[in-house]
Amino acid sequence: MPKSKRDRPVTLSKTKKKGREHKESIVNGIRELVEKYSSVYVFSFENMRNIKFKEFRKQFRTNGRFFLGSNKVMQVALGRSASDEIRPGIFKVSKLLHGDAGLLVTDMPKEEVERLFNAYEDSDFSRTGSTAVETIELKEGPLEQFTHEMEPFLRKQGMPVRLNKGTVELLSDYVVCEEGKPLSPESSRILRLLGIKLATFKLNLVCRWSPSDFELYREGLDLSDVETS
């Protein structure tokens, strides 16, 4: 009987080496591009959607590069303090790389970068586990947006429904989701069926570094928060 691939031993030293080499490749790539391009931005994101982000990135394909992934790796690439920063003052950028954040290095004029980021916003269906931004409640009565074939599926999602002369009928008021609470798999499916998009994919500029200046975009931040090395 042939051995299962799952039973094959894995040499941990090799996987660790590959992981280290990958991180080193990212660090070197960031450092090379910081030398090449004139500005470095930190941005944060909400409700990331990979396909939509890929479309947004195309606007920078000829004069910029995005980095997403480990904040620690990006911090190492730039330098975490004034003593190990790769360019003067760029350690301030590292201090703002936390949470859902990424880097953009580019030669695009700052006014154009700001315009593209500020203008971008895209609605999408909320995913399971995300926090509902508002309460959605369905009132008792006919649900004419659903065909009669949908009635068994809706019942499986926990909705109190029945067929009444071929029309799906809600037997009592039903709360699909509550503001501030995480979405269940059933709530997420029902919202999708209803065509209700509660998630907004947004990209927000946090700061900009160039050889001549450093600028903060996020409200509530002060230069004193990042200037200490």
Side-chain angles (χ1 to χ4, degrees):
M1 181 176 179
K3 287 187 177 181
S4 168
K5 291 182 179 180
R6 294 181 181 178
D7 296 332
R8 294 179 182 176
V10 176
T11 305
L12 293 178
S13 60
K14 288 184 179 180
T15 59
K16 289 180 180 178
K17 183 179 179 181
K18 288 181 180 179
R20 185 173 66 251
E21 289 176 348
H22 177 64
K23 290 177 182 178
E24 289 174 352
S25 174
I26 294 173
V27 167
N28 292 333
I30 291 175
R31 288 176 175 175
E32 289 175 7
L33 290 173
V34 168
E35 293 293 335
K36 176 182 178 181
Y37 290 104
S38 60
S39 298
V40 179
Y41 294 81
V42 173
F43 63 93
S44 63
F45 53 86
E46 304 170 33
N47 300 304
M48 172 58 78
R49 298 295 188 265
N50 291 334
I51 294 176
K52 294 180 179 180
F53 182 59
K54 186 176 180 180
E55 290 296 317
F56 180 79
R57 281 190 338 206
K58 288 180 180 179
Q59 299 171 99
F60 295 84
R61 63 180 175 269
T62 60
N63 61 354
R65 174 79 182 273
F66 285 87
F67 291 92
L68 286 177
S70 169
N71 290 336
K72 289 184 178 179
V73 171
M74 292 188 285
Q75 288 170 346
V76 168
L78 300 174
R80 294 180 174 181
S81 66
S83 63
D84 64 358
E85 62 184 4
I86 61 171
R87 298 192 68 178
I90 205 167
F91 81 92
K92 299 171 187 176
V93 173
S94 287
K95 288 184 172 292
L96 296 170
L97 276 169
H98 49 76
D100 294 330
L103 276 180
L104 165 65
V105 289
T106 183
D107 279 335
M108 186 179 288
K110 93 180 190 75
E111 293 79 13
E112 183 66 7
V113 174
E114 292 168 358
R115 184 189 68 80
L116 291 172
F117 272 80
N118 292 335
Y120 188 79
E121 188 173 298
D122 203 330
S123 297
D124 201 356
F125 295 108
S126 296
R127 293 172 176 171
T128 298
S130 61
T131 302
V133 296
E134 64 177 279
T135 297
I136 302 295
E137 182 177 7
L138 299 177
K139 295 298 183 181
E140 176 184 352
L143 299 174
E144 296 180 354
Q145 63 268 55
F146 298 122
T147 62
H148 67 276
E149 293 96 342
M150 293 294 298
E151 189 267 343
F153 179 79
L154 296 174
R155 274 193 289 109
K156 287 183 179 179
Q157 307 314 306
M159 293 180 65
V161 294
R162 70 175 181 182
L163 279 179
N164 184 2
K165 297 180 180 179
T167 299
V168 178
E169 182 179 36
L170 190 63
L171 300 177
S172 60
D173 294 350
Y174 180 75
V175 177
V176 179
C177 61
E178 291 186 57
E179 182 179 355
K181 293 187 177 181
L183 288 178
S184 67
E186 294 78 14
S187 296
S188 180
R189 294 186 198 108
I190 293 169
L191 289 172
R192 185 175 286 272
L193 288 173
L194 292 168
I196 298 175
K197 298 180 177 181
L198 296 182
T200 302
F201 172 38
K202 293 181 66 176
L203 299 165
N204 306 297
L205 290 172
V206 177
C207 71
R208 179 185 64 86
W209 172 93
S210 73
S212 59
D213 65 343
F214 179 79
E215 183 176 1
L216 290 171
Y217 291 101
R218 180 182 290 171
E219 292 184 9
L221 287 177
D222 188 86
L223 280 174
S224 61
D225 297 328
V226 295
E227 286 182 337
T228 55
S229 60

